[in-house]
Amino acid sequence: MIISGKELSARLKEDMRGEVSTFPEKYGRVPHLVVILVGDDSASASYVKGKAKASEFVGIRNTTVHRPATIPEEELLDLIRSLNADDTVDGILVQLPLPDHISEARVIETISKEKDVDGFHPLNVAALWQKQPCTLPCTPKGIIKMLKFAGVEIKGKRAVVIGRSNIVGLPVAKLLLDENATVTIAHSRTGNLPSVTREADILVVAIGKPRFVTADMVSDGAVVIDVGVNRDPETGKLCGDVDFDAVASKASVITPVPGGVGPMTICCLMENTIECFLRKVAR
Ligand code: GUN
């Protein structure tokens, strides 16, 4: 079974579109998301475009702010501070990665927690790990939604996450733990990785290496979630971290790339923007 993140996200965005259409009457306006793109990296530019397109569909106002890669850090931080102070802005997202001269940590901590639609702010991360109400990071949130949509029981299962980034690996491991899975976090330095991944009922791969997970690393009937977005070194096409064709014949459930986790990330960004908006207008 292939989980189509594209199909699920289309359904959820349709629902959100209906919800947002009631906002002008209820609250006098629609949510407003500001996305900041620094530099001209083509992958980042394409993600930012996807976010604008989804916003347009859902009925969320989107402003994309493009700044050159040479922007001084302080100028970027000032831009964020002015958006924090702007009452017409509900969500702020700075597309990562950033040029080397800009500290991602400083950028993330400068975005106000209330407008942090990515769920990356240290206070949001702390709230997540302390089981307090928070904005959930988009990709991990989308993965849990996909598993539930596919009818995968998480409770009591052994989950292995390959990757320990702040954006995906660590928070998805925490969300799986909160769903009562028993979680192992593996990474590029894990010894005898196949022996670890073969124990997984649910395998989440976020390591950023094309076709890293081969069929021998997956047990029969496992659920495989591929978070990778890579260029195939041979064909130049988009591919995941999982050798899809080989692994699909062993897995009971698998996500494709493209059309799997990616659309769910954007869908959850829309949801987070609506949540930030509602918290604000309900105050
Ligand atoms: N770069 C890759 N994924 C993400 C994401 O979820 N949010 C932001 N801001 N940048 C990213």
Side-chain angles (χ1 to χ4, degrees):
M1 179 194 176
I2 299 173
I3 317 180
S4 170
K6 211 171 147 185
E7 186 195 322
L8 175 58
S9 72
R11 278 200 218 174
L12 296 172
K13 281 187 292 186
E14 192 67 57
D15 293 347
M16 285 189 266
R17 178 186 165 104
E19 187 189 357
V20 170
S21 71
T22 68
F23 290 172
E25 195 180 321
K26 279 190 203 151
Y27 309 113
R29 65 181 185 90
V30 294
H32 182 194
L33 170 65
V34 176
V35 176
I36 303 174
L37 171 64
V38 178
D40 296 298
D41 176 71
S42 64
S44 290
S46 124
Y47 293 139
V48 164
K49 245 189 220 165
K51 289 165 186 179
K53 199 173 148 209
S55 302
E56 195 185 338
F57 179 84
V58 171
I60 288 174
R61 179 177 163 205
N62 177 282
T63 305
T64 300
V65 181
H66 192 186
R67 290 289 181 266
T70 52
I71 187 175
E73 182 183 88
E74 205 48 47
E75 203 176 309
L76 180 60
L77 298 180
D78 280 339
L79 168 62
I80 294 167
R81 289 181 192 113
S82 73
L83 294 168
N84 285 341
D86 184 338
D87 227 23
T88 70
V89 173
D90 305 294
I92 304 168
L93 179 150
V94 179
Q95 187 65 31
L96 305 177
L98 290 167
D100 288 344
H101 70 279
I102 299 174
S103 155
E104 289 188 354
R106 285 200 72 198
V107 165
I108 289 167
E109 73 189 17
T110 300
I111 297 171
S112 89
K113 174 184 180 264
E114 286 70 30
K115 298 189 181 186
D116 170 35
V117 284
D118 263 326
F120 293 168
H121 190 283
L123 291 173
N124 264 319
V125 178
L128 170 66
W129 287 86
Q130 293 178 353
K131 304 193 186 92
Q132 298 299 312
C134 63
T135 297
L136 296 177
C138 303
T139 301
K141 185 178 184 181
I143 290 170
I144 300 297
K145 278 186 197 285
M146 286 177 102
L147 290 170
K148 291 187 173 171
F149 170 69
V152 173
E153 167 97 348
I154 304 174
K155 182 174 135 192
K157 296 291 167 58
R158 284 164 302 185
V160 173
V161 177
I162 311 180
R164 50 180 159 175
S165 72
N166 289 332
I167 295 184
V168 183
L170 293 179
V172 81
K174 168 66 171 143
L175 294 188
L176 288 163
L177 189 62
D178 289 347
E179 297 287 338
N180 298 306
T182 300
V183 183
T184 301
I185 304 175
H187 44 80
S188 58
R189 291 187 180 80
T190 297
N192 197 356
L193 183 61
S195 72
V196 176
T197 57
R198 276 195 296 267
E199 292 293 312
D201 302 310
I202 300 169
L203 179 61
V204 180
V205 192
I207 192 155
K209 294 184 179 161
R211 302 221 177 87
F212 180 77
V213 170
T214 46
D216 60 300
M217 295 169 73
V218 177
S219 72
D220 282 326
V223 172
V224 180
I225 305 291
D226 188 349
V227 189
V229 183
N230 313 294
R231 289 275 159 206
D232 187 305
E234 282 156 28
T235 66
K237 280 194 195 155
L238 217 55
C239 74
D241 291 351
V242 174
D243 184 345
F244 184 88
D245 293 331
V247 171
S249 57
K250 291 188 101 178
S252 61
V253 174
I254 188 166
T255 62
V257 176
V261 174
M264 290 306 297
T265 298
I266 293 190
C267 173
C268 290
L269 174 65
M270 300 297 106
E271 201 177 274
N272 285 353
T273 304
I274 294 171
E275 282 174 14
C276 288
F277 167 82
L278 288 175
R279 276 198 290 268
K280 190 143 156 266
V281 292
R283 263 206 311 252

